[in-house]
Amino acid sequence: MIRLVHRVQGTTTVNELARFPGYLPEIPKFFLTGKGALTFGVTTAQLFCDSREGLASPDLQLLFTPGSTNTLKFGELDHKPAMSCVVCVVKPDSRGTVMATSADPFARPAIKPNYFTTHTDELALLGGTRHVRKILSQPALAPYSLGEISPGPDISSDAEVLDYARKFGNTLYHPVGTARMGMDPRAVVDSRLRVHGIEGLRVIDASVMPTPTTGNTNAPTIMIGEKGAAMIREDAQ
């Protein structure tokens, strides 16, 4: 994913509210009314959409936030007012690997995400960037926007956007599929989540998904846990 950021004026954003003394009025507001900045999630609006015509289902999730983070310091909010939108590719075709490096179970594995190793992922990101730039340039936001500061107006061509994504892109930490379900030689578990070739062992988490879900993995993973628990009870009887 990449984040597009606009500097704003004439309104208050999370960037100011999260710092002293901006958050002080928000404390009683939260406890007395249950409203205000302390009720904000990571995003305040989001949508699923297609990056281009001809797709069977959405391949993008756009996440809007009345704030922004420091591009060079992970998790740190900017000091000036801003709004941002994250372009997230939710149906990536690129495939990474998580491999054991030795027989020592405490040795760190070799993790290779392999982001943007397919042209379809590049097309999705480019389409999402065009969508967001169009949305954030609408007349309704004109009184508040001082213009795009990240990636910025100088990053305009497809090649420049992709280069920016490779330098400053990030992940939404929804990796799945390292122990995927199936019956082919590369599958790890069967349809009842039993590890092939090892009796009495199951994998019951997001790693059994054959492909990523379109969007957040939390709810599907809870479902897998409940289904796996039901299977264990069924087989025990």
Side-chain angles (χ1 to χ4, degrees):
M1 64 86 161
I2 63 169
R3 189 184 309 273
L4 283 81
V5 181
H6 276 226
R7 183 70 65 221
V8 303
Q9 63 181 356
T11 187
T12 303
T13 71
V14 173
N15 294 356
E16 306 92 85
L17 293 177
R19 290 186 168 87
F20 181 84
Y23 60 76
L24 292 180
E26 299 300 321
I27 298 173
K29 185 187 300 184
F30 173 75
F31 285 105
L32 294 175
T33 68
K35 299 179 180 179
L38 295 182
T39 65
F40 288 179
V42 177
T43 61
T44 53
Q46 58 182 288
L47 66 91
F48 292 92
C49 62
D50 298 348
S51 63
R52 55 197 184 279
E53 294 183 358
L55 299 178
S57 61
D59 61 342
L60 290 172
Q61 186 177 16
L62 307 183
L63 309 168
F64 297 86
T65 300
S68 63
T69 56
N70 189 322
T71 303
L72 301 178
K73 295 182 179 180
F74 180 78
E76 180 179 306
L77 292 172
D78 287 330
H79 287 267
K80 295 182 179 180
M83 60 181 175
S84 60
C85 181
V86 169
V87 179
C88 179
V89 180
V90 293
K91 286 185 175 293
D93 290 322
S94 300
R95 290 293 179 266
T97 60
V98 179
M99 305 294 290
T101 56
S102 75
D104 178 4
F106 297 102
R108 294 184 178 184
I111 303 175
K112 296 181 179 180
N114 292 332
Y115 299 131
F116 296 120
T117 51
T118 66
H119 186 50
T120 53
D121 290 353
E122 294 178 336
L123 291 176
L125 185 86
L126 291 171
T129 302
R130 285 190 285 269
H131 285 334
V132 172
R133 282 179 162 168
K134 183 177 180 180
I135 292 170
L136 296 184
S137 66
Q138 293 302 301
L141 292 174
Y144 306 101
S145 175
L146 293 174
E148 183 181 295
I149 59 172
S150 179
D154 294 336
I155 307 296
S156 57
S157 70
D158 289 354
E160 290 169 336
V161 171
L162 291 175
D163 181 63
Y164 178 87
R166 289 188 167 90
K167 290 179 179 177
F168 300 105
N170 213 311
T171 173
L172 288 186
Y173 299 103
H174 294 165
V176 303
T178 51
R180 66 182 180 86
M181 179 171 58
M183 297 305 295
D184 60 277
R186 296 187 66 188
V188 176
V189 301
D190 63 16
S191 60
R192 295 190 67 79
L193 308 182
R194 298 170 298 201
V195 175
H196 293 300
I198 303 179
E199 190 169 344
L201 179 62
R202 299 182 200 243
V203 177
I204 307 176
D205 57 31
S207 62
V208 305
M209 297 180 187
T211 59
T213 53
T214 303
N216 301 54
T217 53
N218 177 268
T221 304
I222 293 172
M223 180 275 295
I224 290 171
E226 293 179 348
K227 182 66 174 178
M231 288 176 174
I232 291 173
R233 289 193 299 265
E234 291 168 1
D235 292 350
Q237 294 173 356

